[in-house]
Amino acid sequence: MFCEKCGKKLEDGVKFCPSCGNRVEIPENQTDTVHEQPEKSKKSRKKSKLPLVLIAVLAIILFAGGILYGTVGLDMQKDKLAVKIKKAGIPQYTEEMNEIVDEWDDFGIFSISDKRNDLHKLKKVVNYLDEYNTAVDEYKSMNKEKEQYALDEDSYKEYENALYDCSDAIEQKNPESLINAVEIAKETLKDLKKADDSYVEDRVKMYEGLDLKDAGDDVVSGYKKNLKEIQDLTGKGKKDYKAIKEAFSKMDQIVYQYIEPKNQAVVSIQQIDASEFPTVKLYMSIKDKTTGSVIENLDDAFFYINKQDANAKYVKQVVKSANQLNEKEALKVDMVADVSGSMDGSPLNEAKQVMSDFV
């Protein structure tokens, strides 16, 4: 701008010329510019503040949403664990779970750290529950397979008792007792296997040392066949005790009369019933010679009739059945008597002859 009177150059915004004092007239378009400039600046500042406000609001929303999402997620985990514990029905674990859940319910929405701590406690309870369930499965497996180890009697009874303790702990729903009982049962099973191995070794030696010089050809043939099977089953490697037990049973059926008994028995005939001849019933008393007690668990495999044939060879006769009346009374044995013509035909005499041959 220049002064209209003296032509002096003027500074922007002056109202009088500093040289001649003339009043300065500001053109209309410049006046608008001067007055409008502050308004534009205010609008610009308002526009620059708006994104900051939006960012702050968005941050608050995201923060609140994150807390809400985290809380819901923790609640879902808590409910899932609590249902598993409750479903198991173990009083000890259910009580611990209830205490944790009650504490959880007292927490506010922002108590994320406290809820995570309680979630960790619930997970520990579930881990204990998993250990309990594993112990239950181990007991069921051992109990299901126990019969295959029933060789050495004393060790097997100890194993049965150990398994009974496991069963009792399950019935009482006592986790600590069960886990401890299962560990004891495992150790007892190890001892039983060692005892069974010793039993098998002694039994094989006994079979191998049998004297079968008076046995018939069928006995010798069956003996050799079963001995080979037993030797194969009891060789090196993991033993199938169930198969070995079955092989022993088959061998006993063939050569039992040639086996020297461990314990001698006192056998006496109490009564003879020949009313259904040729089936003869003998009522017998069989007691342990050492203790004098009645021998239990006898069956027909323990009884036979050894009869001499025309060639002076002893032949095993058939025993139809053997039934123990009770633990303190006699044993009834039903026999099929193959009587020869040398007998006089009298049922009583024939029965006496059968009894004599049996004894």
Side-chain angles (χ1 to χ4, degrees), residues 244-255:
I244 293 172
K245 184 179 179 181
E246 291 174 354
F248 284 170
S249 180
K250 286 166 58 179
M251 178 67 95
D252 289 345
Q253 294 289 333
I254 297 171
V255 299

Side-chain angles (χ1 to χ4, degrees), residues 109-310:
I109 189 173
F110 295 104
S111 302
I112 303 296
S113 178
D114 292 331
K115 289 184 177 181
R116 284 177 178 168
N117 288 335
D118 274 4
L119 196 63
H120 179 68
K121 294 178 184 178
L122 283 175
K123 288 180 178 178
K124 286 182 67 175
V125 176
V126 170
N127 288 337
Y128 293 143
L129 177 60
D130 290 340
E131 291 179 5
Y132 172 81
N133 290 332
T134 298
V136 171
D137 291 339
E138 288 177 326
Y139 157 72
K140 289 180 179 179
S141 178
M142 289 188 291
N143 192 57
K144 182 179 179 181
E145 299 174 353
K146 68 178 182 179
E147 291 296 334
Q148 67 175 301
Y149 302 108
L151 294 176
D152 183 85
E153 292 183 5
D154 293 336
S155 297
Y156 183 71
K157 286 181 181 179
E158 291 182 9
Y159 184 51
E160 278 190 314
N161 291 335
L163 292 178
Y164 175 80
D165 290 340
C166 295
S167 175
D168 185 60
I170 292 174
E171 185 177 347
Q172 299 296 326
K173 294 184 178 181
N174 190 321
E176 286 80 6
S177 295
L178 173 61
I179 293 172
N180 184 58
V182 167
E183 291 303 314
I184 294 175
K186 288 179 181 178
E187 293 300 317
T188 307
L189 179 57
K190 290 180 182 179
D191 294 338
L192 174 57
K193 288 180 178 179
K194 290 179 182 179
D196 281 351
D197 287 340
S198 179
Y199 174 89
V200 167
E201 183 179 353
D202 292 343
R203 196 67 176 265
V204 172
K205 288 181 180 178
M206 182 267 291
Y207 287 137
E208 291 175 341
L210 288 179
D211 182 5
L212 302 180
K213 63 182 179 181
D214 294 329
D217 294 339
D218 57 338
V219 173
V220 174
S221 175
Y223 161 78
K224 290 181 178 179
K225 179 181 177 181
N226 280 274
L227 182 60
K228 177 64 168 60
E229 180 183 356
I230 289 171
Q231 289 171 336
D232 291 341
L233 288 170
T234 58
K236 294 182 179 180
K238 187 177 180 180
K239 292 181 175 61
D240 185 343
Y241 294 102
K242 184 177 181 180
I244 293 172
K245 184 179 179 181
E246 291 174 354
F248 284 170
S249 180
K250 286 166 58 179
M251 178 67 95
D252 289 345
Q253 294 289 333
I254 297 171
V255 299
Y256 200 87
Q257 62 268 40
Y258 302 101
I259 298 175
E260 188 70 23
K262 276 187 176 181
N263 302 316
Q264 292 186 347
V266 177
V267 182
S268 60
I269 308 296
Q270 303 294 313
Q271 181 181 346
I272 302 173
D273 182 0
S275 60
E276 298 178 6
F277 186 83
T279 296
V280 179
K281 296 179 182 179
L282 303 179
Y283 292 86
M284 309 165 60
S285 172
I286 304 177
K287 296 182 179 181
D288 188 293
K289 185 176 182 179
T290 304
T291 64
S293 59
V294 173
I295 299 176
E296 302 178 20
N297 301 319
L298 298 175
D299 57 37
D300 56 332
F302 291 87
F303 299 91
Y304 62 92
I305 301 173
N306 200 26
K307 182 180 177 182
Q308 193 173 26
D309 64 9

